[in-house]
Amino acid sequence: MLWFLLACVLGVSTEEEQTTISLEHTKAVHYVNTNNALKSAVRLAAYDESGNEIAHGSGNYFKIGGDYFIVTVAHNIAPGASLEAEDGYRSLKLYPVVVDLTRDIAILIPEEKLRMAKAVDYRVDLEEDMTGDTIVYAGYPADLGKSTFTGTIANDQRYIMMIQSFALPGSSGSVVFNTKGRPIGVVNALRLGMYDFSPFPQMHPTLVYCQKLRDYDRYTVRGFIERWKRSRSEP
């Protein structure tokens, strides 16, 4: 509980022999939360055979021991395209370790360690019902550059949650963090619906769907990476 006490203001008041103790969250909690999302955010770009960028998405950089990897969504990996991680003025090739098309989650290992993004220790929060909790994520929506957004979990189900926040094309693959600074899901879609008087479905940029990382805990991901490394060392 040390981290909690250091991130709170402790107030004590006494009135008519009754003592009231209050704890108020301070900026420290917000800072840790936002810092992990911001420092690990990576822009991912897809290139065609001619080397032209055809699409981009987002991801986040993590580590488990001496293994460094990026978590994103599977649909960022376009068929026939080369997906690379932007690292300052260079682009790094990415090797797929996991491409889960059913859950829309991918784990990729860059050919070298990133210099600009800072890897965050990968420890998924596996709490089952987080409805009402505050979240934060950072990514590269549209042409806005690196941006960070906060929000609230509006609906939490077993494998997917809906957050009230903001996203645009390019946000896909951004990892969502809770107030402990721990990853809980990955942005993968915007809600579609019929709004106003339009006869066509429209994207709702403030209702964002996320795939939960509940089946991708630290132990499981470490196993995936170890099997991938063994497969590369085999003749």
Side-chain angles (χ1 to χ4, degrees):
M1 293 298 293
L2 180 61
W3 69 270
F4 179 76
L5 293 177
L6 290 175
C8 296
V9 172
L10 177 64
V12 181
S13 62
T14 303
E15 183 176 352
E16 295 182 356
E17 299 183 353
Q18 180 177 351
T19 302
T20 302
I21 301 177
S22 62
L23 291 172
E24 298 180 5
H25 285 276
T26 67
K27 189 176 180 181
V29 171
H30 176 74
Y31 173 75
V32 172
N33 177 6
T34 305
N35 188 44
N36 280 354
L38 273 172
K39 71 181 182 181
S40 64
V42 182
R43 187 180 189 273
L44 307 179
Y47 297 92
D48 62 18
E49 295 180 353
S50 300
N52 300 311
E53 182 177 319
I54 56 176
H56 84 272
S58 302
N60 288 76
Y61 193 38
F62 293 96
K63 64 180 178 180
I64 298 177
D67 295 316
Y68 292 76
F69 57 95
I70 292 171
V71 175
T72 185
V73 288
H75 76 251
N76 277 340
I77 305 173
S82 172
L83 187 66
E84 300 181 2
E86 294 187 354
D87 187 38
Y89 292 103
R90 63 178 187 160
S91 293
L92 299 179
K93 182 178 179 180
L94 297 171
Y95 298 98
V97 175
V98 175
V99 180
D100 185 344
L101 297 176
T102 301
R103 296 283 306 283
D104 199 15
I105 293 173
I107 297 173
L108 313 169
I109 291 184
E111 58 182 324
E112 298 178 23
K113 289 183 181 179
L114 302 184
R115 299 170 183 168
M116 304 303 292
K118 305 302 180 185
V120 173
D121 194 36
Y122 187 76
R123 296 185 183 276
V124 177
D125 194 322
L126 300 176
E127 184 178 348
E128 292 191 3
D129 187 0
M130 296 177 279
T131 302
D133 287 2
T134 299
I135 57 86
V136 65
Y137 76 89
Y140 294 82
D143 59 349
L144 298 181
K146 183 190 286 190
S147 305
T148 182
F149 303 97
T150 58
T152 304
I153 299 175
N155 183 277
D156 186 4
Q157 301 178 31
R158 181 173 177 80
Y159 293 114
I160 195 169
M161 58 187 173
M162 183 174 68
I163 61 175
Q164 187 175 2
S165 184
F166 183 82
L168 288 172
S171 297
S172 290
S174 298
V175 174
V176 177
F177 293 80
N178 62 13
T179 54
K180 303 173 188 175
R182 296 174 65 175
I184 57 174
V186 188
V187 172
N188 79 312
L190 292 172
R191 182 175 176 83
L192 286 175
M194 307 296 288
Y195 305 107
D196 300 323
F197 299 101
S198 172
F200 304 105
Q202 300 178 56
M203 289 190 302
H204 198 305
T206 63
L207 294 178
V208 184
Y209 284 110
C210 303
Q211 290 291 334
K212 295 176 70 174
L213 290 168
R214 59 176 298 141
D215 288 343
Y216 289 89
D217 57 60
R218 185 181 180 90
Y219 176 81
T220 302
V221 171
R222 176 182 283 158
F224 284 136
I225 294 174
E226 289 300 323
R227 287 193 290 273
W228 176 80
K229 289 193 294 186
R230 286 198 299 269
S231 69
R232 287 175 58 84
S233 63
E234 294 173 355

